[in-house]
Amino acid sequence: MLEAATVAGMEMDAGLLASVLPQGQLGDLVAVGLLEREEDRFRFRHPLLQEAAYDEVPAERRRTLHEQIAAAMAKSDSYSAERVAYHLERADRPEAALSVFDTAAGEASRTGQAGREATLHLGAFQLACRHLSLAGQRARLEEEAIRGLFGVGRWSELDPLVRGAWSRRGALPPAKRAQLAAVFSEHLLWTESIDQASRVAEDELATLDECRGLDYGGVLLREAALIAWFKGDGAAVRAFVDRALDVAQRTSDVDLALRARRIEIFIAYGEQQDRQAAINRMRENVASARAQGLAVDEAWALSYLSYITGLLSDVEAARQLIQRAGARTWLFAALREATLQLMEGRRDLCEAIFEQIRHEVRLGIPTIAAWVGVKEAWLYLHRGDLDEARKLLEQASAASDASCCGLIGAEWSAASGWLAWEEDHLPEACTHLASAGAEGVMGTYNTISTGPAFLALRVDALLRLGRADEAAAAISRFEAFNLGHDRFMAAALAAAWFRLEPTLERASMAEAAVAAAPWPWLHGLVGCWRGEFLHDTGAAEAARKRFEAIGAQLGIRRAQAVLRGLGVRFPRPEYGAGVLSPRELEVADLVAEGLSNPAIARRLYLSRPTVASHVAHILTKLGFSTRAQIAAWAVQRRVPAP
């Protein structure tokens, strides 16, 4: 019984061992202190006990028991393919173990569990690497593992495999080399740099062109289009995607056609600005992917669709579908969902999404880390924690060249412009916000990038610098792109017009547009401007309440400043320790020690959003604007009175 138990592993199921040794009594092993019991499961009291007992089992007996346990596990649905394969491998039956992996991977593929399928393909490849008898299978298994991990966005696990395969690319036939180049170029997009990814894709396409093998390069053309799109090169995107669609038609490649068509729809949307046509075509793409049983493709299409419709229902459906498939690519949908939740004023839901992203996704991958950092910086800007926003933007800029161009670059410029505007660095704000709303951004990404939506801040900064003509020109250029079909863009335009021409009519139009979006933060800002320029105390007070409702601490102070200018008196702020809660005092002391929000979260066993909320409340309650002021206050508080 002890031999069977120790071969089963650290933990074992009574029913499993009963099927191997019907006469055995696991209770005897509990009685002598080797095992401990929890309902129908048993475990060794210490790993060293299990290890010592395992070493005492004769080798042939071990192999027999491993095979018997594998057979018993295979008859039940309670055990994973990995556990069955493990016991078969220990029974010196690697071929049988590989068969278990292959069968389970096929079932995962049929049921749309892409993440599970990738895990099984990786396990099969690792098994083959351990056994010389499986050497002939390694090339196939490596290819399947690379394709699976790539499809679900598990970049860290993919990295050693794809780089190893790429180093041996010279021995591959053109079709397999083109497929590998497609994977490697997108892998570089996320893990290295956009420029490197672009060079690999273009060099390999040039090689295929020379040998007239472009029909092998359809997927590579699609990846080249994606890379060019992130780079912001609209002309290159159109050229690559048209060639990819041509190859898909000639080769009857349905999957390639679906993927390339999604990018083409985005490009046509930017060129033609026909929102309904883009929505209809993307919904057709969703339906086609569903009909083909391509769950991950369907989820991607829904995610793309949400960038056009701006509807939370589309992006939520995309995220749920991707997560059910077990793909890490859900984070791209999650970032879109977080943006929409934040702009609509649901900061708590936005915070929860970022908490999940940080918990489930390793962010040591430069381009992804830059994108997440930029989006999370928006959350801190909305909350009013400028120090944390600045850190994230600096990290994003250092993490990847993606923050300097294209889609992510536009988002980075918008966040940096917002930060500069909050800090009253007006020339810097103008520069960043001009970049976020440049013609290239609007023409390539249309309303996909939220960067242009900060037009009102740019107009405000220009006017405060005395550059009214530039402010009017910025609005005219924005109008020329006819982005008003998007609710946030329509709100931005109306707010910008009111800031340029602060009349009662413009104020009413702006308030209607931002309420319809809805965009509470901008609604509050419009209320502040109405209070400031039209001397409307009621509008300023309504703005203060809106900012309070969404937890925008700097907005609250801005509204209060307007109200003071209109003659409203507020109680003088109390700066004593009694103003803060015990937890806020604790956080203030840790800020004084120089700890960042993540470090404070680890120290106090809190989530990062909770710590960030505490910091924002401290800033508001004490009337401060920087962490340095909190630190100085906390240090001074601890100095004994003379």
Side-chain angles (χ1 to χ4, degrees):
M1 193 71 241
L2 177 59
E3 288 176 342
T6 192
V7 169
M10 258 304 287
E11 295 186 12
M12 66 226 67
D13 179 81
L16 175 67
L17 290 188
S19 67
V20 176
L21 288 176
Q23 74 280 13
Q25 295 295 325
L26 278 170
D28 294 344
L29 300 181
V30 175
V32 297
L34 290 172
L35 299 184
E36 54 188 10
R37 180 173 187 168
E38 184 176 328
E39 296 182 352
D40 289 335
R41 294 195 63 77
F42 295 79
R43 62 178 290 116
F44 279 90
R45 287 190 175 273
H46 196 281
L48 290 177
L49 287 175
Q50 190 264 341
E51 185 180 328
Y54 187 86
D55 289 341
E56 290 297 315
V57 182
E60 189 59 37
R61 173 70 173 150
R62 278 203 303 254
R63 285 192 290 271
T64 300
L65 284 170
H66 275 300
E67 189 163 4
Q68 290 175 335
I69 289 170
M73 285 181 168
K75 293 177 183 177
S76 170
D77 294 331
S78 302
Y79 302 97
S80 68
E82 289 92 331
R83 288 196 66 187
V84 177
Y86 164 79
H87 286 289
L88 286 171
E89 184 181 8
R90 299 306 292 264
D92 285 343
R93 296 191 58 200
E95 292 81 3
L98 179 58
S99 178
V100 168
F101 274 121
D102 282 342
T103 301
E107 179 61 25
S109 177
R110 283 190 294 275
T111 55
Q113 300 176 67
R116 178 71 181 140
E117 183 185 2
T119 297
L120 291 163
H121 282 316
L122 179 60
F125 174 64
Q126 291 169 338
L127 172 71
C129 290
R130 292 193 293 269
H131 295 276
L132 189 60
S133 62
L134 299 177
Q137 301 267 28
R138 287 175 191 165
R140 170 183 72 85
L141 296 171
E142 181 183 50
E143 184 179 339
E144 289 174 347
I146 288 173
R147 186 168 60 248
L149 293 170
F150 171 71
V152 296
R154 283 158 57 176
W155 308 109
S156 297
E157 294 165 281
L158 174 65
D159 192 76
L161 272 67
V162 72
R163 290 182 186 277
W166 187 248
S167 69
R168 305 187 302 272
R169 64 188 180 279
L172 294 175
K176 288 186 182 285
R177 176 164 171 161
Q179 290 283 338
L180 181 61
V183 173
F184 188 53
S185 59
E186 186 173 335
H187 182 70
L188 289 174
L189 167 66
W190 301 117
T191 63
E192 291 287 342
S193 77
I194 290 180
D195 286 338
Q196 270 189 287
S198 182
R199 280 196 296 273
V200 167
E202 290 175 10
D203 287 350
E204 290 299 308
L205 285 171
T207 300
L208 286 172
D209 261 339
E210 287 175 7
C211 65
R212 298 183 179 180
L214 200 59
D215 278 1
Y216 299 129
V219 177
L220 181 54
L221 282 164
R222 187 263 176 191
E223 296 305 329
L226 179 69
I227 293 162
W229 189 76
F230 268 96
K231 198 173 182 177
D233 189 345
V237 180
R238 168 57 75 183
F240 286 131
V241 81
D242 284 349
R243 294 170 74 191
L245 288 168
D246 182 55
V247 170
Q249 185 175 13
R250 287 202 311 271
T251 60
S252 302
D253 189 331
V254 176
D255 188 45
L256 171 61
L258 281 172
R259 295 183 181 192
R261 186 67 68 194
R262 288 197 293 271
I263 300 177
E264 191 273 331
I265 292 168
F266 264 179
I267 294 302
Y269 178 38
E271 292 172 346
Q272 301 164 12
Q273 301 167 20
D274 189 335
R275 180 172 179 265
Q276 194 55 53
I279 290 172
N280 292 342
R281 294 182 65 204
M282 197 65 81
R283 290 203 186 280
E284 289 175 7
N285 197 277
V286 172
S288 296
R290 186 183 301 125
Q292 296 290 328
L294 301 170
V296 175
D297 271 319
E298 181 187 350
W300 270 115
L302 280 169
S303 185
Y304 277 46
L305 177 64
S306 73
Y307 278 88
I308 303 172
T309 64
L311 295 178
L312 274 167
S313 56
D314 288 327
V315 73
E316 286 168 349
R319 184 150 79 105
Q320 290 166 9
L321 191 57
I322 294 172
Q323 287 180 311
R324 280 201 301 273
R328 292 275 176 83
T329 47
W330 64 265
L331 93 87
F332 299 114
L335 288 176
R336 175 62 171 167
E337 184 181 350
T339 300
L340 292 175
Q341 296 284 16
L342 183 65
M343 294 182 80
E344 291 187 8
R346 291 180 287 274
R347 197 190 79 186
D348 54 341
L349 296 179
C350 178
E351 289 173 345
I353 292 170
F354 276 108
E355 186 71 7
Q356 185 183 10
I357 289 172
R358 294 283 176 184
H359 178 70
E360 295 189 20
V361 180
R362 290 180 59 189
L363 296 175
I365 301 170
T367 305
I368 293 176
W371 203 354
V372 171
V374 166
K375 287 298 189 182
E376 195 170 10
W378 286 33
L379 172 61
Y380 283 102
L381 286 163
H382 184 278
R383 184 189 286 130
D385 190 341
L386 305 187
D387 291 332
E388 283 297 308
R390 186 181 302 101
K391 286 179 186 176
L392 286 167
L393 292 171
E394 289 172 353
Q395 290 167 9
S397 181
S400 170
D401 59 359
S403 63
C404 301
C405 62
L407 178 64
I408 301 174
E411 308 278 73
W412 183 89
S413 295
S416 297
W418 184 359
L419 174 63
W421 180 82
E422 292 282 13
E423 294 180 322
D424 218 26
H425 298 159
L426 300 182
E428 185 181 347
C430 291
T431 300
H432 286 307
L433 293 170
S435 179
E439 292 184 9
V441 172
M442 290 190 283
T444 301
Y445 304 115
N446 209 297
T447 60
I448 295 161
S449 168
T450 42
F454 289 89
L455 173 68
L457 301 190
R458 182 183 173 197
V459 168
D460 177 68
L462 287 168
L463 290 172
R464 288 161 64 192
L465 289 170
R467 292 153 59 179
D469 289 346
E470 287 183 55
I475 292 175
S476 296
R477 283 194 295 272
F478 189 94
E479 283 187 314
F481 277 90
N482 190 28
L483 303 180
H485 55 266
D486 178 87
R487 54 200 171 114
F488 296 119
M489 299 299 176
L493 179 60
W497 266 120
F498 169 54
R499 180 63 184 89
L500 183 67
E501 299 175 5
T503 64
L504 187 59
E505 181 183 3
R506 290 287 188 191
S508 298
M509 293 171 63
E511 288 182 327
V514 294
W519 190 354
W521 184 87
L522 188 60
H523 200 166
L525 183 59
V526 167
C528 286
W529 286 340
R530 180 165 180 160
E532 180 180 357
F533 298 114
L534 300 181
H535 310 293
D536 189 331
T537 303
E541 176 59 22
R544 186 186 66 79
K545 290 178 179 177
R546 285 192 185 93
F547 285 132
E548 280 185 346
I550 62 174
Q553 305 301 326
L554 291 182
I556 295 170
R557 299 207 323 241
R558 181 174 291 109
Q560 288 174 340
V562 172
L563 287 166
R564 287 192 191 95
L566 294 171
V568 178
R569 294 188 176 183
F570 293 93
R572 293 186 64 182
E574 297 283 346
Y575 293 115
V579 176
L580 305 184
S581 69
R583 177 63 87 185
E584 288 166 350
L585 287 171
E586 197 173 8
V587 170
D589 286 338
L590 293 176
V591 169
E593 291 182 23
L595 272 62
S596 64
N597 281 7
I600 295 172
R602 290 191 295 271
R603 178 79 68 89
L604 300 180
Y605 299 100
L606 300 173
S607 70
R608 287 181 59 186
T610 299
V611 172
S613 290
H614 285 318
V615 172
H617 291 151
I618 294 167
L619 289 168
T620 299
K621 288 180 178 181
L622 299 181
F624 295 158
S625 58
T626 68
R627 294 168 77 91
Q629 290 173 301
I630 295 175
W633 176 86
V635 170
Q636 183 63 36
R637 184 176 68 86
R638 293 197 296 263
V639 175

